[in-house]
Amino acid sequence: MDKTANPIVLEAKGITKRFPGVLANDKVDLLLYEGEILALLGENGAGKSTLMNMLYGLYHPDEGEIWIKGERVELKNPRDAIDRGVGMVHQHFQLVPVMSVAENVMLGSEITRGGGILALSEAERRVRELSERYGLEVDPAAIVEDLPVGAQQRVEIIKALYRNADILILDEPTAVLTPQEANELFRIMRELTARGVSIIFITHKLKEVLAVADHIGVLRQGRLVGIAKPETSTEASLAEMMVGRNVILTVEKDEAHPTEPVLRVENLMVKDDRDHFAVKGVSMAVRAGEIVGIAGVQGNGQRELVEALTGLRPADSGHVWLENTDITDFSPRKITELGVAHIPEDREKHGLVMSYSLADNMVLSNYYRPPFAKHYVIDRDVINEQGERLVKEYDVRTPSAQTPAGNLSGGNKQKVIVAREFSRPTKLLIAAQPTRGIDVGSIEFIHNQIVAQRDRGVAVLVVSAELDEVLGLADRVAVMFDGHIVATLDAADATRERVGLLMAGSVEEAVG
Amino acid sequence: MTSTTVTTAEKPSSRISGRTILIALLVAIGIAIVYYYIVDPTATTSVLAGTIRQATPLILGALCGLIGERSGIINIGIEGQMLMAAFVAFMVNVALGPIMPLGLALFLGVVSGILVGALMGGFLAWMSVTLKLDQIIGGTVINILALGLTSYFYVIGLTTRGKLPTFALGPLADIPLIGPVLFNRSPIQYLAIILVFVVQFALFRTVWGLRTRSVGEHPSAADTVGISVKMTRYMNVIIAGCFAGLAGAYLTLESVGTFERGMTNGRGFIALAVMIFGRWTPLGSWGAALLFGFATALKTQLDFMGLNVPPQLTGSMPYILTIVVLAGFAGRARPPAAVGQPYESE
Ligand SMILES: Nc1ncnc2c1ncn2[C@@H]1O[C@H](COP(=O)(O)OP(=O)(O)OP(=O)(O)O)[C@@H](O)[C@H]1O
Ligand SMILES: [Mg+2]
């Protein structure tokens, strides 16, 4: 099925966009055909989100033209884009957490009973109608913050459809989804294209691109370096196009040589935000020199477990030992000082101070100690020096180490956290979703760094929703289901199928 | 429509118990009122009427605060807005009194008070939205400015040409207890009560309210659906200023009948406590304002009855209440998520 015969609905011609010190887009040309899925690939900071924000009227190109449905357009704000049928689901959801689904959907294009009075039930009916027509299951009266991410994403899509979008931009929609939710999203995307909607789809997961795209555009350092067809591409060829060199997509590591246990967890019980038990009696150990991976569908207690281990959440009962110290309910600072490094799941909330410079962010855990501070006075020079060094070492794409962290692209933010956590002596590394939203080149880099830590004798605990990541990295795989560790397997026994079954909660089948 | 159905931030479990507590509280208050009315009808009526009177500037101030904060702008300049409006309303009335009918002079006084409030709201919006100045500093600027200007231009010995009178609402005013308390009031007191319901409805049932709340909770979400965050904030802070202005005019033209230095006496700040206690909802704030009003009215009544209570103690009741409320409830109530943060679109 060749869709190039279809008319062009959107065209970018020679788009250039500069930020202070950064050429984010450099004369980019892009074509989107009606009813097709155009996948957009590129390293972190390649300029994908920037380009999409311009097509949605949030940013304004410095040079170049945008054509929509055969007409040259000047998109001054999102309103202009919405009026021309462009809808966008942002990398970070743009939903008001305390409002209902229907309120969020109609916001800005409200249905009224006249006189500015909202017709809420009418809006709920519209949402229900859209959700039935496109198979986007969601309760219009639910409060958004109570919904799982997958459902929030469906709300975002309904939001676009409600505004009659026929050009839909999805910026990394699968980064926060479980594999099941992602498959559901692909079904919805196919349903939409069958009805004539055209989609631009950004992702870092090459498998997904090959599975759903009609065309593949690749950006590198702001430039469009090629258009590929999935039929004639492989993961390796796409990775090379993105990064400009050969990328090793599997983790390369030698056998582990574990020694003494560093982390021991005994019967740990932890409650979630709603006061229900999320971790229901977990016991486990991680030894120096090994990587233990926790596999599991998101929401089975992994987040609460990690938060309890790092002091961010009180344990209800049970103990956490770091070597011979009982660190249960120690403060995060104390735990950090004892040599625990943490790559948090939510980098925006727990990882970085967005308004601080990169250099400052890189000393968040030890700014108050020598060499960064002497007698309560901070030594700027040392901090800046270390910032510049780490930016180079970890290949963070930024104009300088003085740039505020908030200006970086998603993947580069993650690299800053990794740089900070790996740059000081550690005994235990806890990494939650360490490569979420990261490009293949950087995944390779971060994985190598994690393995290097292991080989240096650090005990490593990796929690990831990506089964491939856990299987690739871990020397032992623990599977978490419903607040319990239901099985711990040696890497050799941890086949995809077996771990998959355990993740779904069927212990007997997996063992038998 | 009760305040509990609209505080969407709450989880279902607390919603149920919150409502039960509210109903129990209202019933208890009702019983207490009836009991005291039987014991001492005059004192009870006068305390309750005093409650409504004292609550009026507080609820107007709280509405000013919450309209701003719901859109993301903290306003600690309510005190200054009220004071300035009180002064201007008073001076306009004094100046126009001799040359036009009394009613018209009063009306124009009130209108000019409202306009001054709006103007100062515009000033606050300019400082916090356009200049992105720290909003606490912006509010402080307004307070200092108002205190300075009104003290400087103040002339001793002036009085208004009459005050806004009370008027009875026909037969409703003849109902025992309820009549004199609720239906024999002066215009701004009636208006304040009506405005509580108007703002409550507008905030949760209209396009304006939906957009306002979205801008205060998640400005970039509003931005991405084409709502101008800056415009919304400007508009809200200016509208909010009208409420503070009305409160100021109430003080000089309806309550006291003259202007005194610093006559707002911290009411603008108490109004903020009222807003927080009321969880940023108009109905909730009204309840809180009545509570504070009651504390003040009770003090007046106790002083009047010459009981053996030291006046220092009774006089400090509203302020003690403020401290208790802020210490006890401020932590638990959830303000609009983006309050106090300037918004940067690119
Ligand atoms: N508002 C901004 N101010 C300054 N620089 C910015 C801003 N937004 C993006 N940049 C810079 O522009 C470049 C492109 O960023 P962009 O967010 O488009 O990358 P991306 O391809 O979406 O990356 P990722 O895959 O990590 O999301 C980056 O170097 C980034 O630091
Ligand atoms: Mg991006």
Side-chain angles (χ1 to χ4, degrees):
Chain A
M1 129 192 106
D2 189 16
K3 291 187 180 169
T4 33
N6 292 353
I8 294 166
V9 289
L10 185 144
E11 187 174 4
K13 288 185 189 170
I15 298 277
T16 297
K17 177 73 185 173
R18 292 179 200 90
F19 290 115
V22 187
L23 183 57
N25 281 165
D26 184 6
K27 302 197 189 66
V28 176
D29 298 311
L30 203 65
L31 286 179
L32 177 66
Y33 296 93
E34 187 178 297
E36 79 155 5
I37 298 177
L38 170 66
L40 206 53
L41 282 175
E43 290 179 282
N44 299 124
K48 305 179 295 293
S49 297
T50 303
L51 181 60
M52 294 305 113
N53 281 331
M54 286 188 282
L55 299 181
Y56 191 61
L58 276 170
Y59 293 172
H60 312 287
D62 296 327
E63 288 160 34
E65 300 171 3
I66 297 170
W67 291 67
I68 294 176
K69 291 159 201 160
E71 198 185 324
R72 180 166 177 199
V73 294
E74 199 81 48
L75 304 173
K76 282 193 279 305
N77 52 47
R79 193 78 255 164
D80 289 346
I82 293 166
D83 290 344
R84 293 191 163 74
V86 182
M88 179 160 174
V89 177
H90 295 261
Q91 198 165 352
H92 304 284
F93 293 160
Q94 300 296 335
L95 298 171
V96 184
V98 297
M99 288 188 187
S100 77
V101 170
E103 284 179 317
N104 266 291
V105 169
M106 71 169 157
L107 181 64
S109 313
E110 296 84 357
I111 304 180
T112 67
R113 276 188 252 150
I117 296 169
L118 297 172
L120 195 62
S121 52
E122 176 66 17
E124 289 183 354
R125 205 185 51 72
R126 278 279 287 150
V127 172
R128 214 168 289 122
E129 202 178 278
L130 285 169
S131 96
E132 272 159 26
R133 174 154 10 129
Y134 295 99
L136 292 152
E137 198 189 313
V138 66
D139 169 13
I143 301 299
V144 162
E145 66 183 345
D146 295 337
L147 296 176
V149 273
Q152 294 192 10
Q153 187 159 63
R154 292 197 287 276
V155 178
E156 284 278 27
I157 296 175
I158 291 177
K159 229 168 107 178
L161 296 174
Y162 169 90
R163 290 166 173 72
N164 297 317
D166 48 16
I167 298 170
L168 190 59
I169 299 168
L170 303 172
D171 194 352
E172 292 194 40
T174 56
V176 291
L177 298 186
T178 64
Q180 290 83 342
E181 285 172 329
N183 285 331
E184 174 66 15
L185 176 68
F186 299 146
R187 187 193 60 70
I188 293 165
M189 283 165 61
R190 289 199 194 92
E191 173 79 35
L192 290 170
T193 49
R195 287 163 186 267
V197 176
S198 321
I199 297 178
I200 302 181
F201 168 58
I202 298 178
T203 183
H204 288 296
K205 298 176 190 173
L206 304 173
K207 276 200 186 74
E208 298 179 349
V209 172
L210 293 174
V212 300
D214 296 305
H215 278 105
I216 305 164
V218 180
L219 280 178
R220 188 160 79 217
Q221 292 175 8
R223 281 215 300 279
L224 188 78
V225 293
I227 297 278
K229 299 279 290 179
E231 303 89 71
T232 54
S233 307
T234 62
E235 287 186 51
S237 74
L238 291 175
E240 190 169 341
M241 230 169 136
M242 270 171 68
V243 185
R245 65 178 165 83
N246 197 359
V247 182
I248 298 152
L249 294 167
T250 50
V251 185
E252 291 192 324
K253 61 181 168 75
D254 301 325
E255 207 175 309
H257 300 288
T259 53
E260 294 301 301
V262 173
L263 172 74
R264 276 183 299 130
V265 181
E266 278 173 21
N267 257 319
L268 190 68
M269 312 262 283
V270 186
K271 282 182 174 166
D272 64 14
D273 294 333
R274 295 183 199 170
D275 230 25
H276 298 149
F277 278 105
V279 178
K280 305 169 180 173
V282 162
S283 298
M284 64 182 297
V286 184
R287 292 169 294 176
E290 74 168 349
I291 301 175
V292 173
I294 295 190
V297 175
Q298 251 178 74
N300 276 284
Q302 299 97 315
R303 173 185 301 176
E304 288 77 10
L305 175 65
V306 167
E307 288 182 353
L309 296 182
T310 50
L312 292 170
R313 184 182 287 276
D316 201 70
S317 64
H319 290 277
V320 181
W321 297 81
L322 185 72
E323 292 182 325
N324 294 319
T325 321
D326 185 347
I327 60 164
T328 322
D329 293 337
F330 272 28
S331 71
R333 175 178 277 196
K334 216 130 173 228
I335 293 175
T336 308
E337 284 178 346
L338 287 170
V340 178
H342 177 210
I343 301 175
E345 171 176 339
D346 188 341
R347 58 178 165 244
E348 309 265 319
K349 202 159 134 200
H350 293 135
L352 296 169
V353 181
M354 292 301 162
S355 56
Y356 282 16
S357 71
L358 299 188
D360 286 352
N361 267 296
M362 284 176 178
V363 294
L364 276 188
S365 45
N366 47 10
Y367 65 91
Y368 53 92
R369 319 197 109 191
F372 305 116
K374 279 183 207 92
H375 311 297
Y376 302 103
V377 180
I378 280 176
D379 189 336
R380 285 254 138 244
D381 292 342
V382 179
I383 291 176
N384 292 339
E385 220 166 84
Q386 129 134 349
E388 269 148 42
R389 187 170 53 77
L390 290 177
V391 161
K392 250 190 234 110
E393 207 172 298
Y394 286 81
D395 189 26
V396 181
R397 305 282 166 86
T398 169
S400 85
Q402 297 308 323
T403 307
N407 279 4
L408 293 200
S409 76
N412 281 299
K413 285 179 188 152
Q414 186 75 349
K415 287 196 203 167
V416 175
I417 297 172
V418 169
R420 175 180 69 220
E421 297 301 309
F422 285 10
S423 64
R424 60 194 167 84
T426 35
K427 292 176 189 153
L428 172 67
L429 164 65
I430 299 176
Q433 323 292 354
T435 58
R436 174 177 284 174
I438 303 264
D439 68 57
V440 281
S442 313
I443 290 178
E444 181 190 24
F445 176 78
I446 290 176
H447 282 172
N448 287 341
Q449 293 290 324
I450 290 177
V451 172
Q453 291 282 328
R454 178 200 75 169
D455 292 342
R456 222 169 287 149
V458 173
V460 181
L461 182 67
V462 173
V463 180
S464 176
E466 294 292 322
L467 191 48
D468 287 330
E469 175 159 61
V470 174
L471 295 180
L473 276 175
D475 301 310
R476 286 193 299 138
V477 177
V479 183
M480 203 156 173
F481 178 76
D482 191 28
H484 298 280
I485 297 226
V486 289
T488 307
L489 310 169
D490 280 330
D493 306 326
T495 59
R496 245 182 169 278
E497 294 66 38
R498 205 158 160 201
V499 176
L501 280 173
L502 285 164
M503 281 166 63
S506 38
V507 179
E508 296 78 20
E509 281 166 65
V511 175
Chain B
M1 192 164 52
T2 70
S3 66
T4 43
T5 54
V6 290
T7 47
T8 44
E10 278 163 69
K11 297 274 178 273
S13 61
S14 66
R15 202 176 289 176
I16 294 160
S17 67
R19 171 171 296 185
T20 324
I21 291 171
L22 189 70
I23 291 172
L25 203 69
L26 290 178
V27 170
I29 291 172
I31 292 172
I33 289 174
V34 171
Y35 172 76
Y36 280 106
Y37 184 66
I38 293 167
V39 174
D40 185 347
T42 352
T44 309
T45 311
S46 96
V47 167
L48 291 184
T51 301
I52 302 279
R53 257 199 315 275
Q54 297 290 350
T56 300
L58 298 182
I59 184 59
L60 288 172
L63 289 176
C64 168
L66 77 87
I67 291 172
E69 292 210 5
R70 282 284 184 169
S71 75
I73 303 288
I74 299 175
N75 183 357
I76 67 155
I78 301 172
E79 176 84 2
Q81 286 175 297
M82 269 193 208
L83 187 64
M84 192 77 142
F87 179 69
V88 171
F90 171 70
M91 293 306 277
V92 166
N93 174 263
V94 169
L96 296 183
I99 55 173
M100 58 175 66
L102 221 145
L104 190 60
L106 281 169
F107 177 75
L108 289 176
V110 173
V111 169
S112 53
I114 292 173
L115 287 179
V116 165
L119 198 70
M120 295 183 80
F123 181 49
L124 177 69
W126 179 67
M127 286 189 288
S128 38
V129 177
T130 304
L131 300 185
K132 300 195 176 74
L133 199 70
D134 185 289
Q135 296 172 10
I136 301 298
I137 294 178
T140 308
V141 166
I142 286 188
N143 286 335
I144 292 173
L145 197 71
L147 195 62
L149 285 179
T150 53
S151 301
Y152 182 77
F153 287 109
Y154 173 61
V155 184
I156 297 175
L158 296 176
T159 47
T160 56
R161 308 284 153 162
K163 291 202 293 178
L164 287 165
T166 59
F167 60 90
L169 287 186
L172 284 175
D174 298 331
I175 308 171
L177 183 63
I178 299 172
V181 172
L182 283 181
F183 301 117
N184 193 12
R185 311 249 51 96
S186 47
I188 298 178
Q189 292 179 37
Y190 286 128
L191 190 58
I193 296 173
I194 294 167
L195 285 171
V196 168
F197 291 92
V198 170
V199 177
Q200 177 83 24
F201 182 82
L203 203 50
F204 295 101
R205 294 282 182 274
T206 68
V207 172
W208 169 78
L210 187 72
R211 293 186 175 187
T212 294
R213 286 181 292 134
S214 74
V215 166
E217 288 286 344
H218 197 329
S220 73
D223 193 10
T224 53
V225 293
I227 296 169
S228 165
V229 175
K230 288 186 176 182
M231 278 292 294
T232 309
R233 289 185 168 172
Y234 255 99
M235 195 174 79
N236 275 39
V237 177
I238 290 172
I239 293 174
C242 298
F243 286 78
L246 186 61
Y250 169 80
L251 288 178
T252 39
L253 299 187
E254 191 168 299
S255 176
V256 181
T258 179
F259 183 85
E260 295 153 23
R261 281 201 179 92
M263 73 182 297
T264 40
N265 220 348
R267 282 187 183 83
F269 294 108
I270 296 180
L272 281 175
V274 162
M275 170 194 77
I276 293 168
F277 196 24
R279 297 185 166 215
W280 287 267
T281 67
L283 276 180
S285 301
W286 193 40
L290 289 175
L291 179 67
F292 279 86
F294 175 72
T296 317
L298 190 63
K299 168 222 174 246
T300 316
Q301 185 65 25
L302 290 176
D303 291 351
F304 176 73
M305 296 193 332
L307 290 183
N308 236 346
V309 191
Q312 290 86 349
L313 186 69
T314 54
S316 54
M317 265 193 322
Y319 306 99
I320 292 172
L321 200 60
T322 307
I323 293 170
V324 169
V325 162
L326 288 181
F329 289 86
R332 270 191 280 155
R334 179 158 123 180
V339 82
Q341 300 163 9
Y343 181 67
E344 203 81 57
S345 56
E346 188 179 336

